[in-house]
Amino acid sequence: MKRLLSKARAAVEKYNMIEENDRIAVGVSGGKDSVALLVALAEMRRFYPKKFEVVAITLDYQFNNADGDFSEIEKLCEKLNVEYVIKKTNLYHVIFETRKETNPCSLCAKMRRGILHDTAKELGCNKIALGHHLDDAAETFIMNLFQGGTIGSFSPVSYLSKKDLTMIRPFVFIRESEISSAVKRNSLPVVKSKCPADKQTARQETKALLEELDKKYPGIHEKIVGAMEKSHTDKW
């Protein structure tokens, strides 16, 4: 985890993501990225010069109208001494049964954000940390360009004025492969997604496209993110 911690701290310091006495909600889906972020921020509490708290939040989609099993995440939070909250939702029922969305990801993301933001506020948090990494940033840039004809991606830090919450993404300097390696080396628990649309999204197609381009243009992910930083696109 040392490499992840080093790169995460570099991002935190460059973009001033953490302030004294912050109470940070980590959105923990159970996937490798969010679990690694939870561990990284929990560890960072020990040595970071500004004191802050960490709370883990998992949204239970109730796939197939049943409770999700997040027992391994609960054990991890106990080990890390992190408060853990599982918020039950009706996301599966609304999206896949009531509305029967053919393109569920957009609506799901919107509803998921709203529930996560409200839960963080209920828990007294002023910031939310998400596990988006460097690959995600590059993929979002390409998706915005190819699908919407716009230049941009998500920002490392975003302030949501309506909720008075700040979104931070400490993993923006880290490749997905580095996260995968760290999760395996440290035997961190990962909860497999039961989403019917998993691995069938436009993002997955973009990921495959960039992986193919990387064979001909090595480092293309870093180059895209580097270009955004040089041009200060979306506060990079």
Side-chain angles (χ1 to χ4, degrees):
M1 289 296 296
K2 288 184 178 179
R3 184 175 178 82
L4 292 195
L5 278 168
S6 177
K7 288 191 172 185
R9 179 168 183 169
V12 166
E13 293 183 340
K14 179 169 183 175
Y15 291 105
N16 197 28
M17 294 183 183
I18 296 177
E19 294 286 1
E20 189 75 26
N21 297 320
D22 276 345
R23 184 168 166 83
I24 303 173
V26 182
V28 182
S29 66
K32 66 182 187 314
D33 306 328
S34 61
V35 170
L37 177 62
L38 170 63
V39 173
L41 287 179
E43 288 295 308
M44 198 179 293
R45 290 177 305 180
R46 296 188 297 103
F47 59 82
Y48 197 67
K50 296 176 181 178
K51 301 301 179 184
F52 64 95
E53 298 177 56
V54 175
V55 180
I57 301 175
T58 292
L59 303 185
D60 185 351
Y61 289 59
Q62 300 278 287
F63 287 117
N64 300 313
N65 301 306
D67 290 349
D69 181 6
F70 301 101
S71 55
E72 291 302 311
I73 306 298
E74 286 187 277
K75 292 176 185 177
L76 176 64
C77 287
E78 289 177 8
K79 181 179 178 181
L80 297 171
N81 192 28
V82 169
E83 180 182 351
Y84 185 43
V85 174
I86 300 174
K87 182 77 171 181
K88 293 185 179 182
T89 76
N90 63 349
L91 286 170
Y92 173 80
H93 176 69
V94 170
I95 294 168
F96 292 100
E97 294 185 331
T98 303
R99 297 184 56 128
K100 298 180 180 178
E101 292 283 322
T102 55
N103 184 21
C105 297
S106 178
L107 177 61
C108 182
K110 183 177 181 180
M111 293 180 67
R112 181 177 68 239
R113 283 194 297 268
I115 298 170
L116 179 60
H117 297 170
D118 289 343
T119 305
K121 291 295 289 186
E122 290 169 7
L123 293 169
C125 299
N126 64 312
K127 290 182 178 175
I128 298 178
L130 300 176
H132 296 138
H133 43 66
L134 189 145
D135 293 45
D136 287 326
E139 290 161 13
T140 301
F141 180 91
I142 294 298
M143 290 171 68
N144 286 342
L145 179 62
F146 286 7
Q147 297 180 14
T150 59
I151 298 292
S153 184
F154 54 73
S155 302
V157 177
S158 304
Y159 177 65
L160 309 177
S161 58
K162 289 184 179 180
K163 296 289 186 178
D164 189 27
L165 281 168
T166 299
M167 311 291 289
I168 63 173
R169 296 174 168 91
F171 276 4
V172 289
F173 291 162
I174 304 174
R175 290 296 309 271
E176 183 176 15
S177 58
E178 295 177 287
I179 296 171
S180 297
S181 296
V183 167
K184 289 178 182 177
R185 284 197 308 271
N186 292 275
S187 300
L188 298 182
V190 173
V191 179
K192 183 174 175 55
S193 174
K194 294 183 179 180
C195 177
D198 191 38
K199 306 298 184 184
Q200 301 177 34
T201 64
R203 180 169 293 278
Q204 195 64 30
E205 293 175 2
T206 306
K207 183 187 295 292
L209 171 64
L210 281 173
E211 287 175 355
E212 192 63 30
L213 286 172
D214 190 60
K215 297 174 184 176
K216 187 173 183 180
Y217 306 102
I220 192 168
H221 298 79
E222 290 89 345
K223 289 171 183 174
I224 290 172
V225 170
M228 287 197 293
E229 285 189 299
K230 291 174 184 175
S231 59
H232 304 294
T233 301
D234 289 327
K235 299 180 181 179
W236 281 83

